[in-house]
Amino acid sequence: MTVRGYAQNRYLERPAPSSLADVIDTILDKGLVIDIYVRVSLVGIELLTIDARIVIASVDTYLRFAEAVNRLDLTETETQGIPELMENITEGGAKHKTEGVIEAVQEKVANVLKRDEEDEEDDYEEEEDGSTRSDERQPEPARKRTSSRRRES
Amino acid sequence: MAVHIYGVVSAATRLPGPLPGRREAPVRLVVHGDLAAVVSEIDADARLRRDDLLAHARVLESLVEDSTVLPMRFGVIVETDEEVAHNVLEAGEDRLTALLSSFDGLVQLTVKAYHDQDRALRHLFRERPELRELRDQAAAGRASYHSQLTLGEAIARALDELASDDAAMVYDELAGLAEHIVSSEVNAKDQILDAALLVQRGARTKTDEGVTRLRRTLPDRVRLRYIGPLPPYSFVDGQLAGEPVWA
């Protein structure tokens, strides 16, 4: 509850490095492009980011909201003043219910991105056809990751 | 092998020591006139991994600590150093030089704001009696499909409105901390704002203080993430021929 303590400790906040999700937000659709030279097969990635941006407002999500609120103990919200006291107790219970659809989309993206840890052949696209020099394609030798940043997302 | 381009800097830029790029290949500069491209070798047909994305971002983030950097979007790859020099740096010389000078000394700081959904819901039910009524109707034995749907729809709409209001409030506060500010479409769950601040490198402490203060004063349903320093991704307009979006 004292997550946000007031000025007892006057720390100065510094910005943090970007996470994988931040990186996907920025480097895939922001920054300079020299269009004729964009040669890399970004096809798979573009689909991936589009997926991540689908916001689904459907009957299904409305029902999830309704269900969440029904489960959320809101009695404390009607007596002003003590809601904070109750928050930690009820937190979590209802939350999971509303997360459904959009989270599923994000999971999908995360899973795709995670494949490079699980598979020997770590790629975004199973089949990346004709668009980029498929004639010269050779199977990539399996490589072990050497990075220490294994789980950033 | 081909050459991956991370970004463009002035030819006077020094790399901050050995810098590993995609697949750990050493990052180096290809210089032409007053410009230099930040590059590393890459197998042109290498499949993309998330490490590749992170490497691109990390290289640029290490450079931006001390240097002005024009970030390339991920995926600009050419065949040889000569092509980098002639078809990228020479061909784009005027534009790149102008961009470098307009971003001189500037870095991007990104602030993302999110709603704590449970807290946002509690706030709405405190503030809006009509939602409580709908909820009571939905709960009162006659919990029909229709009343559930009406309730859910009303909540979704109210949450959207609250998100816009809170986002506008945060945006206005942030605008006072930056030379320029732009916001992009939000796309993560519960995210209400994605704002990029363009800030003088020397004025970063002031922005840090502003964000710290803002975080203390926001309602507890709003959570902030503060990211950077980054090269001005959100301010260099896509095509090399374009104007900076804030000019």
Side-chain angles (χ1 to χ4, degrees):
Chain A
M1 232 171 307
T2 49
V3 178
R4 192 172 316 218
Y6 278 80
Q8 300 104 322
N9 53 343
R10 293 193 48 79
Y11 74 100
L12 181 60
E13 175 155 6
R14 299 288 183 192
S18 24
S19 68
L20 180 64
D22 300 324
V23 167
I24 290 174
D25 264 1
T26 48
I27 72 173
L28 294 183
D29 67 4
K30 299 190 180 85
L32 289 174
V33 173
I34 303 170
D35 49 356
I36 48 173
Y37 293 106
V38 178
R39 234 269 327 267
V40 166
S41 45
L42 283 179
V43 186
I45 297 189
E46 274 162 10
L47 289 178
L48 210 68
T49 51
I50 289 165
D51 268 0
R53 276 154 209 198
I54 293 173
V55 174
I56 301 155
S58 64
V59 166
D60 190 44
T61 37
Y62 293 157
L63 291 177
R64 284 168 195 277
F65 277 129
E67 192 191 350
V69 168
N70 290 336
R71 292 166 138 267
L72 190 64
D73 181 2
L74 288 162
T75 47
E76 80 274 23
T77 67
E78 285 152 17
T79 42
Q80 304 248 0
I82 55 160
E84 298 236 324
L85 216 60
M86 300 293 288
E87 261 165 27
N88 285 353
I89 301 165
T90 48
E91 206 153 36
K95 199 168 184 178
H96 308 291
K97 290 295 170 187
T98 53
E99 289 178 351
V101 182
I102 295 168
E103 188 180 58
V105 174
Q106 290 178 330
E107 262 169 28
K108 188 170 131 208
V109 173
N111 286 340
V112 175
L113 289 170
K114 227 184 302 182
R115 279 196 300 179
D116 62 22
E117 294 184 343
E118 289 158 2
D119 299 356
E120 293 279 23
E121 195 163 358
D122 40 16
D123 46 353
Y124 284 107
E125 305 131 288
E126 302 293 352
E127 280 182 5
E128 163 197 34
D129 57 12
S131 53
T132 57
R133 313 202 331 180
S134 53
D135 46 330
E136 293 174 35
R137 173 170 304 285
Q138 291 163 1
E140 190 187 44
R143 269 181 248 197
K144 285 292 173 193
R145 292 161 51 90
T146 50
S147 166
S148 58
R149 297 189 296 262
R150 293 191 62 92
R151 296 220 162 252
E152 278 218 25
S153 55
Chain B
M1 292 300 267
V3 183
H4 176 98
I5 309 181
Y6 298 86
V8 174
V9 295
S10 114
T13 303
R14 295 280 156 271
L15 295 178
L19 197 57
R22 289 182 63 186
R23 315 291 165 112
E24 311 292 328
V27 170
R28 55 194 175 78
L29 299 179
V30 173
V31 176
H32 177 88
D34 293 334
L35 298 170
V38 182
V39 305
S40 71
E41 304 289 317
I42 186 74
D43 173 359
D45 290 322
R47 307 274 182 102
L48 293 169
R49 309 189 308 199
R50 62 176 179 171
D51 262 9
D52 291 310
L53 304 180
L54 282 167
H56 183 90
R58 296 287 179 250
V59 165
L60 291 172
E61 283 173 36
S62 348
L63 283 170
V64 84
E65 287 285 349
D66 297 310
S67 316
T68 301
V69 184
L70 302 176
M72 287 287 174
R73 191 176 302 188
F74 184 92
V76 178
I77 291 198
V78 300
E79 294 292 337
T80 61
D81 281 12
E82 288 67 42
E83 256 190 84
V84 176
H86 296 114
N87 297 341
V88 179
L89 297 180
E90 190 178 2
E93 193 164 12
D94 292 348
R95 190 71 209 137
L96 290 167
T97 308
L99 279 171
L100 265 180
S101 89
S102 59
F103 287 108
D104 187 34
L106 295 165
V107 297
Q108 175 175 330
L109 296 165
T110 294
V111 176
K112 297 183 175 186
Y114 303 81
H115 258 170
D116 177 316
Q117 198 178 80
D118 284 0
R119 286 180 173 158
L121 283 174
R122 287 201 179 84
H123 172 81
L124 289 174
F125 276 82
R126 269 198 301 273
E127 301 295 312
R128 298 204 178 193
E130 79 275 16
L131 285 180
R132 293 202 293 270
E133 239 166 71
L134 283 174
R135 190 224 26 224
D136 292 344
Q137 283 167 20
R142 334 178 265 118
S144 66
Y145 179 79
H146 180 74
S147 64
Q148 291 287 319
L149 202 58
T150 310
L151 171 64
E153 197 179 351
I155 293 167
R157 204 180 313 118
L159 272 178
D160 270 354
E161 286 167 17
L162 186 62
S164 308
D165 291 351
D166 285 345
M169 171 183 67
V170 175
Y171 181 94
D172 289 346
E173 293 289 331
L174 293 173
L177 304 174
E179 307 260 320
H180 298 279
I181 180 169
V182 294
S183 62
S184 331
E185 206 178 319
V186 297
N187 53 57
K189 189 181 89 63
D190 294 337
Q191 191 178 359
I192 62 173
L193 179 70
D194 186 340
L197 284 68
L198 197 61
V199 174
Q200 287 288 345
R201 192 175 281 108
R204 275 180 52 196
T205 307
K206 227 183 91 198
T207 312
D208 293 351
E209 285 165 1
V211 172
T212 308
R213 199 168 50 237
L214 177 60
R215 199 192 289 271
R216 284 189 189 129
T217 51
L218 283 174
D220 67 359
R221 64 178 175 276
V222 181
R223 194 167 59 79
L224 295 187
R225 288 182 56 234
Y226 183 34
I227 301 148
L230 308 168
Y233 288 112
S234 305
F235 298 89
V236 291
D237 199 6
Q239 300 301 311
L240 202 41
E243 298 290 322
V245 294
W246 49 273

